[in-house]
């Protein structure tokens, strides 16, 4: 992977490894990009001080292919989900029915699809 690919992947939330699964590239606003050993938390910069020369061969960096897909839920969606679950618990009403009764079926569907995407 190139330096730009590594940085873009990390900023996009992907897990980028160097050489083995115990080394992970992390970003910190104050410390920049670092290669961190997950077993003892030691780290080195992703690059030398020049910001260009990488501490490792580009071919030794890779994205974790077994990484689960993460779901990002907005604060509003969390509130809507909690509201539907609470209503379902207190009034014995299924969450989907709560959304239907409140004319929110499209919003319900979009939230559910985040967790269980429709296959093509």
């Amino acid at each position: 992977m190139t330096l730009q690919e590594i940085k873009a992947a990390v900023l996009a939330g992907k897990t980028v490894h160097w050489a083995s699964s115990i080394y992970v590239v992390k970003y910190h606003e104050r410390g920049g990009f670092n290669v961190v050993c997950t077993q003892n938390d030691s780290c080195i910069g992703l690059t030398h001080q020049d910001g260009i020369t990488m501490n490792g061969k580009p071919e030794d960096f890779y994205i974790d292919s077994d990484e689960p897909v993460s779901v990002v839920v907005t604060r509003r969606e969390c509130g809507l989900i909690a509201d539907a679950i609470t209503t379902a618990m207190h009034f014995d009403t299924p969450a989907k029915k709560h959304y239907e009764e409140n004319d929110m079926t499209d919003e319900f569907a979009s939230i559910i699809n985040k967790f269980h995407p429709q296959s093509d």
Side-chain angles (χ1 to χ4, degrees):
M1 296 179 72
T2 67
L3 180 58
Q4 291 76 20
E5 290 172 332
I6 294 167
K7 288 180 176 182
V10 170
L11 292 176
K14 302 286 184 186
T15 302
V16 178
H17 295 282
W18 168 73
S20 84
S21 62
I22 69 166
Y23 297 103
V24 179
V25 180
K26 301 271 185 173
Y27 175 75
H28 188 275
E29 289 179 15
R30 295 168 107 193
F33 290 89
N34 295 293
V35 178
V36 180
C37 177
T38 60
Q39 293 186 342
N40 63 14
D41 287 332
S42 65
C43 69
I44 61 170
L46 176 60
T47 64
H48 294 192
Q49 288 186 341
D50 65 9
I52 300 169
T53 309
M54 291 198 315
N55 282 319
K57 297 176 185 173
E59 61 268 19
D60 291 339
F61 289 88
Y62 62 95
I63 294 175
D64 190 344
S65 60
D66 293 330
E67 185 173 289
V69 176
S70 63
V71 175
V72 177
V73 181
T74 66
R75 181 176 289 173
R76 174 169 163 59
E77 290 170 338
C78 285
L80 293 170
I81 292 167
D83 184 44
I85 291 169
T86 302
T87 301
M89 287 172 32
H90 289 287
F91 301 105
D92 199 27
T93 304
K96 185 175 181 184
K97 186 173 181 186
H98 169 74
Y99 277 91
E100 289 168 351
E101 289 172 355
N102 291 286
D103 198 28
M104 300 167 63
T105 52
D106 290 340
E107 196 158 13
F108 180 77
S110 71
I111 294 168
I112 297 304
N113 284 339
K114 282 189 173 188
F115 295 95
H116 298 286
Q118 306 274 330
S119 56
D120 295 335

